[in-house]
Short mmCIF file of all heavy atoms in Angstrom, two decimals:
data_model
loop_
_atom_site.label_atom_id
_atom_site.label_comp_id
_atom_site.label_asym_id
_atom_site.label_seq_id
_atom_site.Cartn_x
_atom_site.Cartn_y
_atom_site.Cartn_z
N THR S 25 87.96 103.39 102.44
CA THR S 25 89.25 103.13 101.88
C THR S 25 89.55 101.51 101.92
O THR S 25 90.05 101.01 100.92
CB THR S 25 90.41 103.74 102.82
OG1 THR S 25 90.20 105.12 102.80
CG2 THR S 25 91.76 103.49 102.41
N ARG S 26 89.21 100.92 102.91
CA ARG S 26 89.39 99.35 103.00
C ARG S 26 88.59 98.77 101.81
O ARG S 26 89.02 97.83 101.23
CB ARG S 26 88.88 98.89 104.40
CG ARG S 26 89.76 98.97 105.66
CD ARG S 26 89.42 97.99 106.58
NE ARG S 26 90.03 98.43 107.87
CZ ARG S 26 89.26 99.18 108.81
NH1 ARG S 26 88.01 99.54 108.61
NH2 ARG S 26 89.82 99.41 109.97
N GLU S 27 87.34 99.16 101.73
CA GLU S 27 86.53 98.54 100.78
C GLU S 27 87.12 98.70 99.34
O GLU S 27 87.05 97.79 98.53
CB GLU S 27 85.09 99.08 100.77
CG GLU S 27 84.16 98.50 99.77
CD GLU S 27 82.71 99.14 99.94
OE1 GLU S 27 82.52 99.87 100.94
OE2 GLU S 27 81.94 98.83 99.18
N ILE S 28 87.61 99.95 99.08
CA ILE S 28 88.06 100.24 97.73
C ILE S 28 89.34 99.53 97.37
O ILE S 28 89.68 99.27 96.32
CB ILE S 28 88.16 101.78 97.43
CG1 ILE S 28 87.90 102.06 95.98
CG2 ILE S 28 89.45 102.40 97.96
CD1 ILE S 28 87.65 103.50 95.68
N LEU S 29 90.15 99.32 98.46
CA LEU S 29 91.38 98.52 98.26
C LEU S 29 91.41 97.05 98.20
O LEU S 29 92.35 96.37 98.01
CB LEU S 29 92.48 99.11 99.32
CG LEU S 29 92.99 100.55 99.16
CD1 LEU S 29 93.87 100.89 100.33
CD2 LEU S 29 93.67 100.78 97.88
N ALA S 30 90.16 96.58 98.94
CA ALA S 30 90.07 95.16 99.22
C ALA S 30 90.44 94.31 98.13
O ALA S 30 91.06 93.23 98.14
CB ALA S 30 88.78 94.90 99.76
N PRO S 31 89.81 94.54 96.82
CA PRO S 31 90.13 93.56 95.70
C PRO S 31 91.69 93.42 95.42
O PRO S 31 92.04 92.35 95.26
CB PRO S 31 89.55 94.44 94.46
CG PRO S 31 88.49 95.22 94.97
CD PRO S 31 89.05 95.69 96.35
N PHE S 32 92.40 94.46 95.54
CA PHE S 32 93.90 94.37 95.39
C PHE S 32 94.40 93.52 96.54
O PHE S 32 95.37 92.50 96.27
CB PHE S 32 94.64 95.67 95.35
CG PHE S 32 94.20 96.53 94.15
CD1 PHE S 32 93.48 97.69 94.26
CD2 PHE S 32 94.64 96.15 92.86
CE1 PHE S 32 93.06 98.39 93.08
CE2 PHE S 32 94.41 96.89 91.76
CZ PHE S 32 93.67 98.00 91.94
N LEU S 33 94.13 93.87 97.81
CA LEU S 33 94.78 93.29 98.86
C LEU S 33 94.35 91.72 99.05
O LEU S 33 95.14 90.89 99.37
CB LEU S 33 94.43 94.05 100.17
CG LEU S 33 94.90 95.54 100.15
CD1 LEU S 33 94.41 96.26 101.36
CD2 LEU S 33 96.31 95.62 99.97
N ASP S 34 93.07 91.50 98.69
CA ASP S 34 92.61 90.18 98.86
C ASP S 34 93.35 89.28 97.75
O ASP S 34 93.54 88.08 97.94
CB ASP S 34 91.13 90.01 98.51
CG ASP S 34 90.42 90.74 99.68
OD1 ASP S 34 90.86 90.87 100.66
OD2 ASP S 34 89.13 90.92 99.50
N PHE S 35 93.77 89.79 96.64
CA PHE S 35 94.51 89.12 95.62
C PHE S 35 95.98 88.88 96.03
O PHE S 35 96.62 87.93 95.50
CB PHE S 35 94.44 89.96 94.34
CG PHE S 35 95.01 89.18 93.20
CD1 PHE S 35 94.36 88.04 92.61
CD2 PHE S 35 96.32 89.36 92.66
CE1 PHE S 35 94.83 87.38 91.52
CE2 PHE S 35 96.73 88.75 91.61
CZ PHE S 35 96.03 87.69 90.99
N GLY S 36 96.46 89.49 97.10
CA GLY S 36 97.78 89.24 97.47
C GLY S 36 98.77 90.37 97.08
O GLY S 36 99.97 90.12 97.26
N LEU S 37 98.27 91.43 96.58
CA LEU S 37 99.18 92.56 96.28
C LEU S 37 99.42 93.36 97.59
O LEU S 37 98.55 93.43 98.56
CB LEU S 37 98.53 93.50 95.27
CG LEU S 37 97.99 92.84 93.92
CD1 LEU S 37 97.60 93.93 93.10
CD2 LEU S 37 99.04 91.96 93.34
N ARG S 38 100.68 93.83 97.79
CA ARG S 38 100.92 94.58 98.90
C ARG S 38 100.73 96.07 98.67
O ARG S 38 100.70 96.59 97.56
CB ARG S 38 102.37 94.28 99.26
CG ARG S 38 102.63 92.92 99.90
CD ARG S 38 104.08 92.56 100.14
NE ARG S 38 104.75 92.30 98.95
CZ ARG S 38 106.06 92.07 98.85
NH1 ARG S 38 106.79 92.04 99.96
NH2 ARG S 38 106.65 91.70 97.67
N LEU S 39 100.73 96.80 99.81
CA LEU S 39 100.40 98.25 99.82
C LEU S 39 101.63 99.08 100.33
O LEU S 39 102.20 98.81 101.29
CB LEU S 39 99.20 98.60 100.65
CG LEU S 39 98.65 100.04 100.92
CD1 LEU S 39 98.22 100.50 99.59
CD2 LEU S 39 97.59 100.00 101.91
N ALA S 40 101.90 100.20 99.54
CA ALA S 40 102.84 101.10 99.90
C ALA S 40 102.27 102.56 99.99
O ALA S 40 101.44 102.84 99.12
CB ALA S 40 103.96 101.23 98.91
N ILE S 41 102.57 103.40 101.04
CA ILE S 41 102.14 104.74 101.13
C ILE S 41 103.29 105.57 100.62
O ILE S 41 104.39 105.51 101.06
CB ILE S 41 101.78 105.06 102.53
CG1 ILE S 41 100.80 104.12 103.15
CG2 ILE S 41 101.32 106.50 102.57
CD1 ILE S 41 99.45 104.14 102.39
N ASP S 42 102.94 106.30 99.41
CA ASP S 42 103.92 107.14 98.76
C ASP S 42 103.77 108.51 99.41
O ASP S 42 102.82 108.98 100.08
CB ASP S 42 103.54 107.21 97.32
CG ASP S 42 104.69 107.86 96.45
OD1 ASP S 42 105.79 108.00 96.93
OD2 ASP S 42 104.44 108.26 95.35
N ASP S 43 105.01 109.25 99.19
CA ASP S 43 105.08 110.72 99.66
C ASP S 43 104.72 110.78 101.20
O ASP S 43 104.22 111.81 101.69
CB ASP S 43 104.08 111.62 98.93
CG ASP S 43 104.51 111.60 97.40
OD1 ASP S 43 105.66 111.32 97.16
OD2 ASP S 43 103.65 112.04 96.74
N PHE S 44 105.08 109.81 101.98
CA PHE S 44 104.87 109.91 103.51
C PHE S 44 105.67 110.97 104.07
O PHE S 44 106.82 111.07 103.92
CB PHE S 44 105.07 108.52 104.18
CG PHE S 44 104.51 108.38 105.37
CD1 PHE S 44 103.22 108.09 105.71
CD2 PHE S 44 105.42 108.61 106.67
CE1 PHE S 44 102.73 107.94 107.00
CE2 PHE S 44 104.82 108.52 107.89
CZ PHE S 44 103.59 108.10 108.07
N GLY S 45 104.96 111.68 104.98
CA GLY S 45 105.63 112.78 105.61
C GLY S 45 105.22 114.17 105.25
O GLY S 45 105.54 115.19 105.89
N VAL S 46 104.42 114.21 104.17
CA VAL S 46 103.66 115.53 103.84
C VAL S 46 102.27 115.24 103.69
O VAL S 46 101.77 114.11 103.72
CB VAL S 46 104.26 116.03 102.45
CG1 VAL S 46 105.79 116.24 102.58
CG2 VAL S 46 104.07 115.02 101.35
N GLY S 47 101.41 116.25 103.45
CA GLY S 47 100.00 116.05 103.29
C GLY S 47 99.55 115.86 104.61
O GLY S 47 99.77 116.47 105.71
N TYR S 48 98.44 114.76 104.65
CA TYR S 48 97.68 114.60 105.81
C TYR S 48 98.56 113.74 106.85
O TYR S 48 98.35 113.88 108.08
CB TYR S 48 96.59 113.68 105.39
CG TYR S 48 95.66 114.41 104.39
CD1 TYR S 48 95.60 113.85 103.05
CD2 TYR S 48 94.87 115.52 104.77
CE1 TYR S 48 94.81 114.55 102.19
CE2 TYR S 48 94.09 116.18 103.77
CZ TYR S 48 94.03 115.71 102.54
OH TYR S 48 93.25 116.29 101.65
N SER S 49 99.43 112.87 106.46
CA SER S 49 100.20 112.09 107.49
C SER S 49 99.37 111.55 108.56
O SER S 49 99.60 111.67 109.77
CB SER S 49 101.36 113.03 108.03
OG SER S 49 102.25 113.30 107.11
N SER S 50 98.27 110.87 108.25
CA SER S 50 97.43 110.30 109.10
C SER S 50 97.99 108.91 109.63
O SER S 50 98.06 108.06 108.91
CB SER S 50 95.91 110.25 108.54
OG SER S 50 95.13 109.41 109.58
N LEU S 51 98.25 108.71 110.93
CA LEU S 51 98.79 107.57 111.44
C LEU S 51 97.75 106.50 111.53
O LEU S 51 98.07 105.28 111.67
CB LEU S 51 99.53 107.84 112.74
CG LEU S 51 100.74 108.84 112.67
CD1 LEU S 51 101.28 109.01 113.95
CD2 LEU S 51 101.75 108.40 111.65
N ASN S 52 96.48 106.82 111.52
CA ASN S 52 95.38 105.83 111.67
C ASN S 52 95.59 104.88 110.51
O ASN S 52 95.15 103.67 110.69
CB ASN S 52 94.05 106.58 111.41
CG ASN S 52 93.61 107.31 112.72
OD1 ASN S 52 94.06 106.92 113.73
ND2 ASN S 52 92.77 108.12 112.57
N TYR S 53 95.88 105.29 109.29
CA TYR S 53 96.14 104.40 108.18
C TYR S 53 97.21 103.26 108.32
O TYR S 53 97.02 102.10 108.03
CB TYR S 53 96.43 105.12 106.85
CG TYR S 53 95.28 105.86 106.50
CD1 TYR S 53 95.26 107.32 106.45
CD2 TYR S 53 94.12 105.26 105.85
CE1 TYR S 53 94.26 108.07 106.06
CE2 TYR S 53 93.07 106.07 105.40
CZ TYR S 53 93.10 107.47 105.47
OH TYR S 53 92.04 108.21 105.05
#
C-alpha cells in the first residue's frame, strides 16, 4: 500500500480514507 501510494504522497498530495467505519476498518492504516 505504501509503495503504490508513494508517488502521490511524495508529490505533496494528501490522503483521505473514505467510507470510514464500515468494511475492514483497520486501524493499522
Side-chain angles (χ1 to χ4, degrees):
T25 300
R26 279 201 202 94
E27 183 179 351
I28 207 166
L29 291 174
F32 293 112
L33 301 176
D34 291 346
F35 187 72
L37 307 187
R38 287 175 287 175
L39 176 63
I41 305 298
D42 194 17
D43 297 338
F44 191 81
V46 297
Y48 300 107
S49 295
S50 174
L51 300 180
N52 285 339
Y53 290 108

